[in-house]
Amino acid sequence: MVRGGEDGRVSGAGENGGVTVSAELRADCANCFALCCVALPFAASAGFAVDKAAGEPCGNLRDDFRCGIHAELRGRGFAGCTVFDCFGAGQKVSRVTFGGRDWRRHPGTARRMFDVFPVMRGLHELLWYLTEALGLPAARPLRADLRRALRDTDRLTRGTPEDLAAVDVTAVRDGVNALLLRASELVRAQVPGRKRSHRGADLMGARLAGAALRGANLRGALLVAADLRKADLRTADLIGADLRDADLRGADLTGALFLTQAQLNAARGDRATRLPATLTRPAHW
Ligand code: SF4
């Protein structure tokens, strides 16, 4: 699937204190055997025009692993494809774990490759967050722990297919998340004034236009279709927040913590939306 950014930038000096995200954590579809177009299931919905079982190639996938409707995904009912981000897991599984042996020419590897892909994606997502946390000046006291977690997680991504299939991603995530939460608290403690906490809150469709959410805890908040126009979300922790169809026009997300490209791609925004420097403005905004 495609990423929704408007340019091909692979790294950036972040407003979160100079974090530079490795190209390894950016989707590189040209070096992937279209794993997200095969390994993952779709349910017919607003994001996908059809049902598709896990392991079944999408009907729009060409023999060369390119999408046959790449330029018209949204118009053809496949907006979900423009939202998904593998954090570079696709090329890692294709080129490193399976050494460039693709599932078409080596069908015997297909099942294992498709099983490993979601595991790798989960681990790469954690690498993304840990890389960001390491670039946060306020989280300096945690750097040794963050580096250790980054190293351990990276080591897991370099295992054999069998090693990867045995990884308990939930357990790894729980350990990493505890660290990320501490990093978030250190950063947000430096934001002046009262910080709002909406951790895990159901804010679906909430009217939050112009809201003062600087430094807020919005971890895991349900913000589907929320009106966040011109909201101040600077340094807000948005890890795991569901931003599908949230209206971010004119919102300020400068320095927002643990925001991903996939979250942005799923939301609405415009030229006036201010973004963390490591993310790109979705092409459909
Ligand atoms: S529509 Fe294109 S990008 Fe989406 S799953 Fe199918 S082949 Fe992949």
Side-chain angles (χ1 to χ4, degrees), residues 168-179:
D168 182 346
V169 179
T170 303
V172 179
R173 180 178 290 123
D174 287 348
V176 168
N177 193 43
L179 261 182

Side-chain angles (χ1 to χ4, degrees), residues 7-85:
D7 60 30
R9 201 153 48 93
V10 294
S11 65
E15 293 165 58
N16 292 339
V19 60
T20 298
V21 176
S22 160
E24 196 182 342
L25 302 181
R26 304 274 187 185
D28 177 5
C29 303
N31 275 304
C32 174
F33 301 134
L35 297 183
C36 56
C37 306
V38 187
L40 306 179
F42 306 160
S45 60
F48 297 102
V50 295
D51 285 319
K52 185 188 87 58
E56 174 191 324
C58 170
N60 296 315
L61 187 63
R62 301 189 322 205
D63 289 346
D64 63 357
F65 302 113
R66 302 286 172 137
C67 173
I69 59 166
H70 175 79
E72 41 188 347
L73 283 166
R74 287 191 164 252
R76 298 277 291 268
F78 287 86
C81 301
T82 69
V83 168
F84 183 80
D85 186 359

Side-chain angles (χ1 to χ4, degrees), residues 99-250:
R101 292 184 302 280
D102 73 71
W103 52 268
R104 285 199 199 279
R105 285 182 300 154
H106 303 273
T109 65
R111 169 59 73 86
R112 275 188 306 156
M113 190 179 271
F114 302 155
D115 287 347
V116 158
F117 174 62
V119 174
M120 187 70 85
R121 185 187 179 277
L123 295 174
H124 267 226
E125 183 176 6
L126 296 178
L127 291 176
W128 173 280
Y129 295 138
L130 287 165
T131 303
E132 177 177 337
L134 274 165
L136 299 168
R140 196 180 304 270
L142 299 175
R143 282 211 177 137
D145 290 337
L146 289 166
R147 279 206 193 90
R148 193 174 310 114
L150 187 76
R151 211 168 37 239
D152 291 348
T153 307
D154 182 67
R155 190 177 302 126
L156 291 174
T157 72
R158 298 181 189 283
T160 64
E162 292 70 28
D163 293 337
L164 279 157
V167 171
D168 182 346
V169 179
T170 303
V172 179
R173 180 178 290 123
D174 287 348
V176 168
N177 193 43
L179 261 182
L180 297 177
L181 180 57
R182 287 166 62 201
S184 168
E185 285 167 349
L186 287 171
V187 174
R188 291 183 297 108
Q190 295 191 336
V191 175
R194 192 174 70 88
K195 272 81 69 181
R196 291 163 70 171
S197 179
H198 297 294
R199 185 176 184 179
D202 183 350
L203 296 169
M204 190 183 287
R207 294 179 186 169
L208 294 166
L213 293 166
R214 188 177 180 194
N217 182 347
L218 290 162
R219 296 172 71 88
L222 192 61
L223 287 160
V224 176
D227 182 358
L228 287 160
R229 285 173 297 163
K230 296 189 176 173
D232 184 358
L233 289 156
R234 288 175 294 166
T235 326
D237 185 345
L238 285 159
I239 195 166
D242 191 339
L243 289 167
R244 284 175 293 163
D245 285 326
D247 192 344
L248 293 170
R249 286 176 293 170

Side-chain angles (χ1 to χ4, degrees), residues 240-278:
D242 191 339
L243 289 167
R244 284 175 293 163
D245 285 326
D247 192 344
L248 293 170
R249 286 176 293 170
D252 192 349
L253 291 153
T254 305
L257 298 170
F258 310 126
L259 181 66
T260 66
Q261 192 67 48
Q263 285 170 298
L264 272 190
N265 293 350
R268 291 183 287 146
D270 63 10
R271 291 263 153 206
T273 308
R274 301 192 66 190
L275 306 178
T278 50

